[in-house]
Amino acid sequence: MVSSGAGRGVGPGAGGATGPGGDLLTEVLGPGRSAGGGLAVRGGAGGLVADGREMGAAADALRRVGLSLGERAAEVGLVVARTGLTGAPALDPAGAAAVARALAAAVGAGGAAGTAAACGELAARLALAGAAYEEAERVAQRVVAGVRDGVARAAGGALGALVRRPEVVLPAGAVVLVAVSGASLTWVVVRGGGLLGDLGDRAVGALADGRVDAAERTALVAGTTDLPGELEVLARADAGGAARALAAEASLLAAQHPQLLQHVVAAAPALAGAALPLRAGGTDRGAVWAGGDRGAVWTGGDRGAVSSGGRRGGGASTGGRGAVALPGGDRWAWPPRDVADLAAAVAVVGTQDGALRPTRVDVRAAGPAVPVAPARGTADLLARARPMAGGGALSPGGRATSRAPVHVERVVDAAGARRWVVVLPPTQTTAAPWARATTNPADLGTDVRAVGQVPTAATRAAVTAMQRAGVRPGEPVLLVGYSQGGLTAVQLAADPALRERVTVDAVLTAGAPVGGFDLPPDVAVLSLEHEEDWIASLDGGANPATPAWSTVVRDLPPGATAPAPGEAPDGMAGHGLDHYGETADLVDASDDASLVAWRERAAPYLAAEGTTASAQLFLAERRPVG
Amino acid sequence: MTVGTGAGVEGLVRAVAPALAAATAAAAALRAAASRVDGEAAAVRAEVGRLRAADAGGWRSRAALAYRARLGDLVARASRDAGALDDLAAALRGHAAGVEGRAEALRAAAAGAAELVVRAVEEGDDLAPRLLARAEAVLADASRSAPSWTAARW
């Protein structure tokens, strides 16, 4: 199956491609199909999904129809020709002429015989297109896997160099994972960025240009093979200083190479598993998971039972690796299969909530529900997160406040039907994820836990806020989230236990690394991402491109992220909510099929004649327990 | 009326009989062919359904849109083919009716000629040449479209 979520990449000139190959290169390898206004769209109602087997089956059916029509035409011609032997034309020449004309029309080149030939031709084209998709997908997977493997092995080598340094103290697994992995990845980005970027650009560029012949493929594979050695040379050269802090520079580099960062993040589980032979999950740590499903986020507003679901590829075999369910919805799977496993492992020992540092969340209303104007579009929906992102009336004290806001808005249409818009907060504090320096549930620990797809204080806060606001089962809910808010929104939507109580109908995310989640097909999702926003790359993969999930990738205009005169460059500029607001404006104006379908889905939550809305703000605060 | 003329007319009437039988058989063959064509039209309509099903519904792309547009054209075209086969069946039935009509005209002409001969005998030899000329004209008109059937009779 080819889908337009197979890679987050850029390809010069890809936007103008047409035909099956053009579709593939534009939507799969490129940022998405051009939707005008600088937007590229993947997935959704207008997205690319191609299943070579289905196309092959359709081509076969088409071919059979063509053969059958040809046989029908021949049979009819024979039957009618036989009537000429009876002498009937001599008796009724005019009738015979009419039959001849009708025969030509029915089975001639303009009739069934021509249709049969056209069916055969179209069948051949379809079969070729299906084969092209399959082959292109294989090539893309091979090249991407090669690049990723090269990154993993190279970074693993660098990591090994760090770990072997005698002065490096390894106090705890979490710190090791965070610090060493982070330093390694930072080093790879900073020092190996040029090599990796060149190779990645070459691979993606070649694919996007359609230049993938055997020689090019061999060259790309050779490049990925040689990459680890080249990086190891750099690592040796940097042995004395590889661990030095390069975070600010890394942020800028990440913003310049979001595509590369995504591969680096995707490679992180492999390098962590290879470089850190930590103890695998075992029966002495709790119940062993046969399938390795993620824990659900629904806990009924308090810590409680855990159910499964939510991850992409959930239920797959662990391949002999242990996966252990821990208290509080935590889990431990080592070596990690993917970014979610790695983040979940970090979360076990490195964050509040979960197994080691359980907390509860207190949620209280900041005031009564007040009438508000219903949102007028996607941009208006996203604008409801603005007070949470930059400080303001909705979030007293701004982003560093000790309490996380949750905005719950009841929308009642002219017929009296109730719907809800729930706006979830972005990261509110940059306190260390394991520290109790803040009581704000929307902290970095929640970021790590959300990527790990384990319950978070933010999800519990959201559920409690919805309950307090009066959201009833069966009443449709549109979840809106910027940055961490988007993660929380998707995490809630992915939880089957939550969906039994809350009808999550649609999700709008902006700048959120949500590609690791698997959502049910009845939940409509629109994800906004910027090429320059490396935060969105932290999931290590592209968002699923399904008929229900559309991702808009926007390449911000030159200068949009440039620093003001005299100011230092800001690696987070592409993540800014203001830019996402502009992107949402473009979405509202776009005629792309996926975005039109999104607007239709969101319409019942928006302003219309007779529709009213009231909003209530809730504030969530974390309390340690135990 | 001369004996030769009367025998000629009688011979003509006798010669029409197998031609009538052949025309009846041809009409039956044409109607049978029309029924076969009806069956083929139904088969083509079934293929139209199969064509619609070959839409590779999971495929979503601009190319898929183009493919489905072409498939839609094919569906419309095959539907037209089925309609054209209906027209062909109707033309075959019309042809059969035409053949039957001509056979009926021959039969009527032969009967008319025989009647004229009988009247010529009854009215006397004075009228015979006129009546016989009339009989020849009737038969000639009736057989104009089927010369091979009647060429041997004069």
Side-chain angles (χ1 to χ4, degrees):
Chain A
M1 165 76 79
V2 174
S3 74
S4 50
R8 174 191 171 92
V10 291
T18 58
D23 281 334
L24 181 74
L25 296 172
T26 303
E27 296 194 27
V28 176
L29 298 176
R33 63 186 183 281
S34 173
L39 302 185
V41 183
R42 286 198 302 260
L48 164 65
V49 179
D51 184 338
R53 282 173 301 180
E54 181 192 46
M55 294 168 70
D60 201 38
L62 202 54
R63 184 183 57 79
R64 285 198 301 271
V65 170
L67 288 175
S68 174
L69 287 177
E71 289 170 2
R72 304 276 79 77
E75 180 68 18
V76 168
L78 200 58
V79 164
V80 175
R82 281 184 188 135
T83 65
L85 302 176
T86 63
L91 269 180
D92 180 19
V99 168
R101 285 194 300 273
L103 179 65
V107 302
T115 307
C119 284
E121 184 196 355
L122 188 57
R125 286 176 179 273
L126 181 60
L128 276 174
Y133 278 126
E134 295 274 287
E135 175 59 15
E137 183 184 27
R138 279 193 290 272
V139 170
Q141 286 176 342
R142 215 158 32 230
V143 172
V144 170
V147 171
R148 197 163 281 176
D149 184 56
V151 171
R153 283 188 287 157
L159 179 59
L162 282 173
V163 172
R164 284 192 294 272
R165 290 182 61 202
E167 66 271 31
V168 174
V169 181
L170 310 177
V175 177
V176 171
L177 280 172
V178 173
V180 178
S181 298
S184 298
L185 294 176
T186 300
W187 178 86
V188 169
V189 170
V190 172
R191 295 291 280 135
L195 293 171
L196 294 166
D198 288 345
L199 183 61
D201 289 347
R202 191 150 60 90
V204 175
L207 288 164
D209 291 347
R211 294 188 281 108
V212 189
D213 55 18
E216 185 71 32
R217 214 176 295 169
T218 302
L220 289 172
V221 171
T224 58
T225 304
D226 295 335
L227 191 60
E230 295 173 13
L231 286 177
E232 279 181 12
V233 170
L234 283 177
R236 280 195 294 274
D238 286 353
R244 282 194 283 272
L246 296 167
E249 191 176 354
S251 170
L252 282 173
L253 282 163
Q256 291 162 6
H257 301 283
Q259 178 186 352
L260 171 63
L261 179 67
Q262 191 173 54
H263 289 308
V264 170
V265 172
L271 80 88
L276 295 175
L278 300 179
R279 176 179 184 156
T283 53
D284 58 332
R285 299 286 299 272
V288 174
W289 292 12
D293 283 343
R294 310 300 195 215
V297 297
W298 169 267
T299 56
D302 200 348
R303 314 201 68 78
V306 175
S307 66
S308 63
R311 70 177 292 272
R312 285 170 74 177
S317 167
T318 56
R321 292 170 294 188
V324 181
L326 301 173
D330 271 0
R331 63 189 171 80
W332 179 269
W334 201 268
R337 291 166 297 175
D338 50 27
V339 175
D341 275 354
L342 179 58
V346 172
V348 169
V349 287
T351 70
Q352 298 196 68
D353 298 321
L356 293 186
R357 298 179 182 85
T359 67
R360 62 182 172 85
V361 176
D362 292 340
V363 178
R364 65 175 180 81
V370 295
V372 296
R376 296 183 304 280
T378 309
D380 232 10
L381 287 170
L382 191 58
R384 280 154 163 71
R386 187 178 307 279
M388 305 176 181
L394 196 60
S395 177
R399 297 185 66 174
T401 179
S402 62
R403 289 167 293 190
V406 178
H407 170 103
V408 184
E409 182 173 323
R410 186 176 65 193
V411 181
V412 183
D413 67 17
R418 303 201 324 173
R419 293 179 178 80
W420 300 84
V421 174
V422 178
V423 185
L424 303 159
T427 306
Q428 301 275 303
T429 170
T430 54
W434 55 84
R436 292 182 171 174
T438 177
T439 58
N440 194 317
D443 63 357
L444 290 176
T446 289
D447 287 322
V448 174
R449 298 185 64 81
V451 171
Q453 302 183 23
V454 291
T456 73
T459 54
R460 294 202 302 278
V463 169
T464 303
M466 283 190 273
Q467 287 178 322
R468 299 265 172 86
V471 177
R472 302 175 193 145
E475 292 180 340
V477 174
L478 167 61
L479 299 172
V480 179
Y482 159 64
S483 197
Q484 182 190 104
L487 260 175
T488 302
V490 170
Q491 195 178 11
L492 287 168
D495 180 19
L498 173 76
R499 291 199 306 271
E500 288 181 5
R501 295 164 171 82
V502 177
T503 306
V504 179
D505 178 46
V507 177
L508 169 63
T509 75
V514 291
F517 288 90
D518 193 10
L519 296 183
D522 58 338
V523 178
V525 186
L526 176 66
S527 292
L528 309 181
E529 297 182 0
H530 292 157
E531 288 285 359
E532 297 77 6
D533 180 8
W534 57 271
I535 295 291
S537 296
L538 290 176
D539 47 14
N543 297 345
T546 69
W549 192 330
S550 303
T551 299
V552 168
V553 181
R554 180 181 173 215
D555 193 358
L556 292 173
T561 56
E567 291 188 6
D570 179 5
M572 295 289 284
H575 188 62
L577 183 57
D578 287 345
H579 290 315
Y580 277 111
E582 298 159 4
T583 304
D585 277 329
L586 294 171
V587 165
D588 284 332
S590 174
D591 60 0
D592 179 84
S594 297
L595 303 184
V596 170
W598 160 260
R599 291 202 300 270
E600 289 171 354
R601 187 66 171 260
Y605 300 88
L606 304 179
E609 189 166 344
T611 297
T612 60
S614 59
Q616 190 170 20
L617 181 67
F618 293 86
L619 297 173
E621 194 168 10
R622 190 201 303 274
R623 304 283 187 202
V625 297
Chain B
M1 176 179 174
T2 65
V3 174
T5 302
V9 171
E10 288 172 2
L12 170 64
V13 172
R14 280 197 303 274
V16 167
L20 287 176
T24 302
L30 287 168
R31 291 190 188 283
S35 294
R36 291 283 300 276
V37 171
D38 283 340
E40 297 299 340
V44 169
R45 288 199 167 86
E47 297 298 352
V48 169
R50 294 187 188 98
L51 267 180
R52 284 201 181 95
D55 67 345
W59 183 21
R60 310 168 65 85
S61 75
R62 285 174 303 169
L65 294 178
Y67 166 72
R68 292 198 186 98
R70 288 194 61 180
L71 188 67
D73 290 344
L74 281 181
V75 167
R77 194 169 163 177
S79 299
R80 280 200 305 274
D81 293 344
L85 287 174
D86 291 339
D87 294 342
L88 174 60
L92 285 166
R93 291 194 173 90
H95 190 23
V99 168
E100 288 167 341
R102 182 56 61 192
E104 183 54 35
L106 274 173
R107 185 182 296 113
E115 186 182 344
L116 285 171
V117 170
V118 171
R119 281 183 61 194
V121 171
E122 291 173 351
E123 297 292 335
D125 284 349
D126 290 345
L127 290 176
R130 188 165 54 85
L131 291 172
L132 286 174
R134 173 83 183 281
E136 287 173 5
V138 168
L139 285 171
D141 180 58
S143 58
R144 190 169 295 131
S145 301
S148 62
W149 291 18
T150 56
R153 70 107 182 96
W154 294 136

